[in-house]
Structures are given as structure tokens and as C-alpha cells.
Amino acid sequence: MKKKLLLKWQWLLVLALGGPALAAQNRCDLTLSGKVIDAHTQEPVAFANIAIQDSDIGAIADENGQYIIKNICEGSYVIVCSHINCDHVEHNITLTGDTQQNFLLEPHGIFMQEVVIRGKAEPIKPTSAATTLNADELSAGRGLSLGKAIEKLPGVTTLNTGATIAKPVIQGLHSNRVLLLVNGVRQEGQQWGNEHAPAIDPYLADEATVIKGAGSVRYGADAIGGVILIEPRPLRDTPGIGGELNLQGLSNGRTGIASGMLEGKLNGKLPISGRLQGTVKRGGNLQTPGYFLDNTGVEELNFSWALGMKQEKWNTELFFSRFYTRLGIFSGSHIGNLTDLMNAIDRERPLENGAFTYEIGRPQQRVYHELFKWKGALETGEAGALQLQLARQFNRRQEYDAHRAYGSLPDNFDEPQIEFEITTHTAELSWEHNPIRLLRGSAGAQLMRQANTTDRGGLIPNYENYTAGLFWIERWKNYPFPLEVEGGLRYDYQWMDVGIQGQDTINRQLDFSNFSGTMGAVYRFPELVELRLNFGTAWRAPNVNELFSDGVHHGAASFEKGDPNLRAELAYNSSFSLILDDKNKLNATLNLFYNLIDGFIFLEPQAEPVLTIRGAFPAYHYAQSDARLMGLDWQLEYTFLPRLQLESKASLLRAWNRSRGEYLSFMPPDQFEHALKYSFGPAGEEQTAPYLSLAMINVLKQTRVPSESDFAPPPSGHTRFKLEGGTHFHLGKQHLEVSLAVFNLFNTSYRQYLDRFRYFADETGRNVSVHLRAPFGDG
């Protein structure tokens, strides 16, 4: 009895003294979670470290700044949050249950943030629809052209002139309505021509971002259709040396490409970073499923270099690029007389089947473009950063006709029929301020001077162009409130002095000015959904070619006539985007747009071709009407089975001539692309695992065209297929990446409505591309 009583009191003592400890041990299933945020930008800080001090318990934030630490016991702790580019933060926390704790990190300096955002022209994400392609996504199309490389994006198509020239089209708009920025500098050449492709080395681009809709407030008055940002690889920020070699071959045209890049950074008191890059390309006559396209070879020789230095309070950078191409124009597009021209259109194929050769004859184009840029930035205390950028561009375009006066061909190619030279100087001063009462923004001024000389031919006149612009943009954000609001205002003034055109003296001075504005909002729901709404106005002064063109445009094989009475275009753009992203299986974007453009300028086909001393050519006049462009595009990625992903994108456009009550001509037809992608690696490693993708591209016939306004009806719709695959592996110690792409897999015969040479020939047939990338060095 005494023994039982003693045992009872022992258990009571254990419960009294050890009960709380046992209870505490049972509460070791608590979680600590939250988000890591940049104190200046209020943007998430990816891959920060969050740890309990003096323990090995912690976590790493994901790409959205979110973190979670599980299985923590009750108690008081010191939580440390750190990031390589920020000052660390400590918080004292007492855990009695599941707890949320956010961290605000202070960057070491404004320019450390610039490294993270990879030097983009505008680090604040736009409220309008925007999509980015990285280097891997650009890889397959680089061997074709920059335009073809970014055609992967929804809402982006290409305007082609034969098989060798492609320029991007965003939601039906192209040329001077789409601004192209290369390393932060607005690309200026003879971009007004439909067959004037961007003079940019595709291998220079490490990242390409397309911003749809009016981007005029930040980038320039005439960005009615959108903006394309081409960013080279950022300069190295760690000491050492490295680089990569790219080799690519394409079966159609037997094209070979070699591109190399060498980069490094010095260590010590003079931490200079540098990069040297170059590309050489050569291809011969391209082939359709039924015949060769005579005189469609291409040659390119490009290089660039960059130097930069970055300190805590300032940075500076020099950049130079040089692009040169010599490309043939399909000889079947230049016809000697009106009868032969109409017969060529009615025949629907060239008279001869052609043959393969690397030789480039007449007609042809030679394009030389160089860009030199200096940029300097200075941190202005706690207020923000001041940046100055100066740039010079020179562009020479030579066009060689297949015909000469009196019918004889020249003995050499040193005398082009048309030669343009344009020199552009630009300056931009901008200031980006840190958050002030929840507002973060930028303001700046831009100046541009252009001088164009037409050394041969009289298609466009000599002219000088002066442009000045002021902009101011502010963004309101109150984290964690899910709404962001942005507004911006811009004023531009343009003055043009037009001189001699051929043997005629025009001697006219023109000036244009107007305001642009934008208002947008982003609303992020706690899970999955993001909404973007944007309204904007933009305007564009008529270009000199739209005003004064008068003659044969040899590269386009057409006769073009301008209208000196054209007025400026004025656009009212609106867009709505719905973004779904569960960070796991689903990523989808739906973008709706509705744009009104008063005074829309377009090339209108004439009823009859024109016969000139150099041959017979389709005729086009520049006209102006009020227009409406509306439509939608979507992009979807859905992993519905392990390793198997469905990809889908589409672009639909309805373009209406409001003044005439009819459809606009030369607008992209509806296009759909669906693909299945299989990854051979384990779950979670799909981005680096070997993969294989089969895509079906379906282009509908363009039935929405003006009646009897073209030399031939729009081509029929078509379906073609594309196969892509890639893998990473090691050969000894050398890391290698190999990708394969087969364009037009089943060798389908088809024509594109937006190809100016569709009157004479089919598009190219099957094209197999093999790309090898070999990185080297310690980076």
C-alpha cells in the first residue's frame, strides 16, 4: 500500500515539474513565413537567406521573395535576413503560433540594384502587356533573323520581304510605330522601309522584351505600337575571365554561323569590366518545296565591345557595335515590263527552278550600321540616381537594281542605284527617385539630331530632323496593398528641314508637337491572379518617306509615292491583361486591346503597276484615314502530366478603316500555335533538362481586306509544324549545350500575306538548324 502511494506521488511530481516541458516539446510544429522586400523599390528580393541566429534552421526566399521555415518550437528567437547586395536585418520574434514576418532590406547602393535587373532601360515593370525572351528562348531563331527570333511571342509577327528580310510587327503595327532600343539606345537607321530589317546582330541579344501598346511616355513620341528592348549580356561583376562560342548551321541555304564572346573583369583598385563579341554568317540561295529562290544569299560580319566600371556611388560604361550585311533580293521580283509583271503574278511561281549558289548578284542590299554609346550614373544621396547617356549612330544603306538604263548590266557592284546615309546624335538625362510618400518615379529630357543624305537616287530627299522631349512618370505602391497605380506625361517637339530630292529642290520646313500620356494599374490577388489595365495616348509625325517618296524602291521591288500634305497620327490606346500563375503547373496571359488612330498613314496599292526605265513595278501611294485596331492575344503553359507541358499562343486582330468603312490592307491574319513539350529530367529541373517540343502553327486566310485593292488575292491559310529539342552535357571538363530545330517540318508549300514577294514565289521549305554553345572560363 505504501509502495503504491509513493508511486502515485512520484507521477504527480513528474507531471507538475515536467508537464510544461513536455507540452513545449509537443509545440514544435510552428511555421514562420513572409516576404523579403526591397526597401526602395518595394519589389520582392529573390533568394535572400532567412535563418534563426546561432542555429542551422533557416530557408531561402524564392524568386518572388516568399519564404517559409517549418517545424519551429515555441520560444523567443533572433531572425536574421541577409542578401549579397543588401544590408542584413535582424528581428526579435516570440513564437507562440504560426507567424508571418516580412523583411525590408536596404540595398548597399543604387547600382547594386542595377546588376540585379540586368541593366534594363526601365526597371519598373510596365502596366501594359510585356513579355520577355531570355537567351535560351531566343536561340533557335537567331540563325534566321532578330525578327524571327522574337516571333515566338504572342501578338508579334513579321513583315517579310522575301526569305531574307523580316521586321517585327506588334498587333498590326511596325516600322516607325514600333521603337527598338538596343542597350538602352533608340535604334535609328532607315527603319521606315518595309524591307529595311533591324540592323542588329541577333547574337548580341541576351534578352528581348516586347512592351505592347503605347510606350511613348518613357521611350519616345512615336511608340504607338509598342517597344522592343534588346539587351546584351550585362558586364561581368566578379573578377575573372570567361566567354562562349556559338556555332550554328542551317540546312536551307546551307548557312553557317560562328559567334564568339570574351568577357572579363580586373581585380584591385581599377575594377574595369569588358566584353568583346563578334559574329560571321554566310548563306546561299534558299529553297521552297518546289524550287530554289535565285539570288537569296546573305553575308554578315558584326562585332561589338563594351567597357565599364562600377563603384559604390557611380558607374560608367562605353559600348560600340558594328553591323554589316550584304543580302540578295529574289531576282524573280524584278520584272522588265508590265506584261511580264502581270504574267509573273498570274503564274504563281518563277519561270525557272533555280539552283544553289553562294554568289550574290543583283538586285541586292548592303547595310552598314554602327552605334557608339557612353553612359554615366551617379547616386544622388538618399534621393535616387541621376543618369546621362550620349550616343551616336551612323547608317549607310545601298540598294542595287537588277536593271540599268538602256538595258545593260554593270561590270561591278560599286555603283548602287540608291544610297542613303543618316547620322543620329542622341542625349538623354534622367533622374530616378527613391520612394517619396509611396511614390517612386523618374523624370528626364531627350534630344535627338538627325542628318540624312541621299547620295544616289531620288526616292527620298535630304533632310535634317531635330527632336526634343520631356517626360515624367510616377508609380504609387503601398505594400502589401495589392494595387499599384502609374501615371505619366510627355511633351515632344519635332522640326524638320527638307532640302534636295534628286534634281529637285523642295526647301520646306515642317514642325510637329503634342503631348502624350498614360495611366495604368496593376492589381495582384493573393494567389494566382494578376490584372493589368492601361490607357494611353501617343502621336507620330509623318516620316520623310511618307511625305516625299517618289520613285522605285528597289529593295521592295515597288514604286512608291508620298503625300506632302499628311498630318500627324494621334492614337488612343487601351489594354487589359489577365495573368494566371500558380508557380507550379499553370502560367497564362490573356491580353485584350482596343486602339483608335486618327490620321493613320498606310501604303495603298494602286490599280495599275508603273513602268519605269528600270522595269515594271507594283505601285503604292501613301494615304491617310482614321483607323481602329482591336483584338486579343494569349499565351498558355500548362503542365498537365509530369514532364509533359502544353504550350499555346494566338494572335487575333481586327483592323478597320473608319473613314472609308472598310478593312485596312496589309494587316496580319489570325494565327495560332500549339505545342507539346516533354522534359526528360526529374520534376523541378525542367529548365535545364533535355527536352523535345512539337509545335503546330496554323495561319488563317486573311479575308478582312479592302475589295479590289491588291494585285493578287490573299493567299490561302496553311498549317505547318516545327520540331525543337535541346540538351546539356559534358565532354570531359567542357560543358556543352546542343539544340536542334526543324522549321516547316513537313516541307509545306505556303505563302504569307505580309510578304511583299508573295506575288512571285512560295515561302521557304524545310530548314534544319543545329546550334552548339560552348561556354568557357570561370564564369
Side-chain angles (χ1 to χ4, degrees):
M1 182 72 180
K2 289 183 178 179
K3 188 175 181 180
K4 288 184 178 180
L5 186 62
L6 180 62
L7 190 61
K8 181 177 180 181
W9 280 105
Q10 285 177 338
W11 275 111
L12 289 174
L13 185 62
V14 167
L15 289 175
L17 299 176
L22 292 173
Q25 290 176 1
N26 290 334
R27 291 295 296 164
C28 287
D29 59 350
L30 305 182
T31 63
L32 175 66
S33 62
K35 193 168 186 178
V36 185
I37 305 159
D38 188 301
H40 286 284
T41 67
Q42 300 298 301
E43 294 291 332
V45 176
F47 311 121
N49 294 296
I50 303 93
I52 298 177
Q53 194 174 66
D54 300 326
S55 79
D56 57 357
I57 301 173
I60 298 177
D62 63 16
E63 65 271 16
N64 299 302
Q66 301 279 0
Y67 77 92
I68 183 170
I69 304 175
K70 299 180 179 180
N71 301 322
I72 310 175
C73 296
E74 287 186 353
S76 296
Y77 302 97
V78 177
I79 311 297
V80 181
C81 180
S82 62
H83 191 275
I84 188 172
N85 293 328
C86 303
D87 297 329
H88 81 280
V89 172
E90 298 180 1
H91 283 305
N92 294 308
I93 297 177
T94 299
L95 295 181
T96 58
D98 292 344
T99 303
Q100 282 197 338
Q101 175 67 55
N102 295 330
F103 292 90
L104 291 174
L105 293 187
E106 185 77 23
H108 293 319
I110 290 295
F111 304 116
M112 294 306 296
Q113 174 197 341
E114 195 170 288
V115 175
V116 176
I117 63 169
R118 300 177 67 83
K120 290 185 180 180
E122 178 55 53
I124 301 177
K125 295 180 180 179
T127 56
S128 54
T131 316
T132 298
L133 292 175
N134 60 33
D136 291 337
E137 294 167 321
L138 289 167
S139 176
R142 278 173 163 168
L144 302 175
S145 68
L146 180 66
K148 289 295 184 182
I150 65 175
E151 201 177 16
K152 282 188 171 185
L153 296 174
V156 179
T157 54
T158 55
L159 177 65
N160 302 316
T161 303
T164 54
I165 301 172
K167 63 189 312 180
V169 180
I170 301 178
Q171 295 174 343
L173 302 176
H174 57 84
S175 301
N176 285 326
R177 298 186 186 94
V178 173
L179 292 189
L180 187 61
L181 274 76
V182 181
N183 199 8
V185 179
R186 172 172 165 160
Q187 180 89 349
E188 288 293 330
Q190 305 288 350
Q191 65 266 27
W192 47 266
N194 288 343
E195 89 297 358
H196 299 175
I200 301 171
D201 180 1
Y203 277 92
L204 177 65
D206 186 66
E207 190 175 87
T209 300
V210 174
I211 302 173
K212 303 168 189 174
S216 60
V217 171
R218 177 61 182 88
Y219 299 104
D222 37 6
I224 290 178
V227 180
I228 301 174
L229 307 177
I230 303 299
E231 295 296 336
R233 184 176 179 134
L235 288 175
R236 188 182 178 110
D237 59 356
T238 57
I241 190 169
E244 66 179 42
L245 174 66
N246 289 275
L247 299 175
Q248 186 170 6
L250 297 100
S251 63
N252 204 329
R254 305 176 196 176
T255 302
I257 305 169
S259 182
M261 184 272 294
L262 182 67
E263 64 176 355
K265 182 180 181 181
L266 300 177
N267 202 354
K269 296 182 179 180
L270 199 63
I272 295 177
S273 300
R275 181 182 64 242
L276 183 65
Q277 177 266 345
T279 302
V280 60
K281 174 180 179 181
R282 189 185 185 197
N285 285 350
L286 297 167
Q287 188 176 13
T288 73
Y291 46 86
F292 281 94
L293 298 169
D294 280 338
N295 198 47
T296 52
V298 60
E299 296 176 358
E300 277 188 23
L301 183 60
N302 315 314
F303 74 88
S304 68
W305 59 261
L307 290 173
M309 187 164 65
K310 186 169 296 187
Q311 298 293 324
E312 182 180 358
K313 300 294 183 180
W314 59 271
N315 67 36
T316 186
E317 179 184 326
L318 290 172
F319 174 79
F320 177 83
S321 66
R322 182 250 198 201
F323 175 92
Y324 173 78
T325 184
R326 177 172 172 245
L327 51 89
I329 304 297
F330 174 50
S331 56
S333 65
H334 281 231
I335 311 297
N337 57 64
L338 292 174
T339 301
D340 289 346
L341 175 63
M342 299 313 298
N343 288 339
I345 294 175
D346 293 338
R347 188 167 52 244
E348 296 186 349
R349 61 164 293 155
L351 271 175
E352 301 178 356
N353 287 334
F356 179 82
T357 179
Y358 283 106
E359 182 179 350
I360 300 175
R362 286 178 178 252
Q364 66 169 264
Q365 294 181 2
R366 295 181 185 182
V367 180
Y368 175 89
H369 188 94
E370 64 180 31
L371 162 64
F372 179 75
K373 181 195 87 167
W374 171 81
K375 180 181 75 173
L378 176 67
E379 184 177 342
T380 54
E382 297 296 324
L386 188 67
Q387 178 174 289
L388 176 64
Q389 179 173 284
L390 305 175
R392 175 193 178 272
Q393 296 177 72
F394 173 77
N395 181 279
R396 178 189 294 120
R397 165 173 287 274
Q398 297 171 317
E399 298 186 2
Y400 298 79
D401 192 4
H403 304 281
R404 293 274 292 186
Y406 318 112
S408 61
L409 289 173
D411 296 328
N412 59 68
F413 293 114
D414 295 331
E415 297 181 3
Q417 272 59 58
I418 295 179
E419 182 174 5
F420 312 108
E421 290 186 352
I422 185 168
T423 303
T424 305
H425 294 88
T426 56
E428 177 178 317
L429 179 66
S430 61
W431 180 63
E432 181 178 326
H433 70 79
N434 293 327
I436 303 173
R437 296 182 180 272
L438 305 180
L439 287 177
R440 180 191 175 204
S442 61
Q446 297 167 331
L447 300 173
M448 182 174 70
R449 177 191 179 274
Q450 285 184 322
N452 180 85
T453 59
T454 303
D455 297 326
R456 292 178 179 271
L459 178 61
I460 64 171
N462 298 343
Y463 67 90
E464 290 188 5
N465 182 35
Y466 298 85
T467 301
L470 300 171
F471 69 88
W472 182 22
I473 303 172
E474 292 293 337
R475 182 103 159 206
W476 179 88
K477 183 175 183 179
N478 185 17
Y479 184 85
F481 191 68
L483 177 66
E484 297 178 40
V485 179
E486 181 181 80
L489 187 66
R490 182 185 182 97
Y491 176 78
D492 286 275
Y493 175 81
Q494 180 177 343
W495 183 81
M496 184 186 300
D497 183 13
V498 184
I500 298 174
Q501 183 173 17
Q503 302 298 319
D504 301 324
T505 300
I506 297 178
N507 194 25
R508 286 190 59 180
Q509 289 77 42
L510 305 170
D511 67 290
F512 305 91
S513 63
N514 212 331
F515 285 92
S516 306
T518 185
M519 180 63 70
V522 179
Y523 191 91
R524 295 183 177 90
F525 290 87
E527 299 290 339
L528 187 65
V529 181
E530 178 177 303
L531 303 178
R532 291 176 177 266
L533 184 64
N534 185 269
F535 300 95
T537 64
W539 69 281
R540 184 183 74 89
N543 198 271
V544 67
N545 68 298
E546 297 165 331
L547 295 166
F548 300 110
S549 287
D550 189 7
V552 176
H553 195 171
H554 298 282
S558 62
F559 185 94
E560 297 178 5
K561 180 74 173 178
D563 181 353
N565 298 314
L566 295 175
R567 65 186 190 277
E569 294 179 341
L570 184 60
Y572 306 90
N573 294 6
S574 57
S575 67
F576 171 78
S577 298
L578 169 65
I579 302 171
L580 305 176
D581 188 358
D582 67 356
K583 311 299 181 185
N584 184 17
K585 292 185 176 182
L586 175 66
N587 185 293
T589 301
L590 173 65
N591 180 51
L592 309 174
F593 61 93
Y594 184 90
N595 304 329
L596 298 176
I597 304 178
D598 293 342
F600 181 77
I601 301 170
F602 61 99
L603 262 180
E604 184 175 33
Q606 301 302 292
E608 297 293 333
V610 170
L611 179 64
T612 73
I613 195 171
R614 302 197 181 280
F617 299 93
Y620 300 85
H621 286 190
Y622 283 98
Q624 193 164 39
S625 294
D626 295 339
R628 181 189 69 222
L629 286 79
M630 63 181 185
L632 62 88
D633 50 70
W634 77 66
Q635 185 173 28
L636 167 72
E637 295 177 355
Y638 179 63
T639 305
F640 61 95
L641 290 175
R643 303 181 183 178
L644 189 60
Q645 184 179 72
L646 170 67
E647 299 176 350
S648 176
K649 69 175 185 177
S651 302
L652 290 81
L653 173 68
R654 301 294 180 265
W656 184 253
N657 189 322
R658 294 152 52 208
S659 299
R660 300 183 184 179
E662 62 182 11
Y663 291 108
L664 286 171
S665 58
F666 300 122
M667 288 291 163
D670 294 344
Q671 180 167 316
F672 304 85
E673 181 173 337
H674 310 292
L676 286 175
K677 180 179 179 181
Y678 185 82
S679 297
F680 293 90
E685 298 182 10
E686 291 84 359
Q687 295 299 320
T688 57
Y691 73 94
L692 191 64
S693 171
L694 178 64
M696 179 184 72
I697 303 166
N698 181 233
V699 181
L700 304 186
K701 180 177 181 179
Q702 180 57 284
T703 58
R704 291 166 293 277
V705 297
S707 58
E708 300 180 1
S709 65
D710 206 346
F711 304 104
S716 301
H718 70 274
T719 299
R720 65 186 193 273
F721 290 82
K722 177 176 64 175
L723 181 69
E724 289 186 87
T727 186
H728 300 232
F729 63 94
H730 281 83
L731 188 62
K733 295 184 178 181
Q734 177 62 55
H735 177 72
L736 296 174
E737 300 173 15
V738 177
S739 62
L740 169 74
V742 185
F743 304 96
N744 196 359
L745 179 64
F746 298 113
N747 209 30
T748 302
S749 295
Y750 69 99
R751 298 194 181 192
Q752 295 275 36
Y753 176 63
L754 290 188
D755 192 334
R756 293 285 286 272
F757 287 176
R758 65 179 170 86
Y759 305 121
F760 312 110
D762 291 337
E763 298 291 328
T764 55
R766 184 184 298 112
N767 195 359
V768 181
S769 168
V770 179
H771 177 213
L772 171 68
R773 176 179 177 266
F776 57 87
D778 56 3

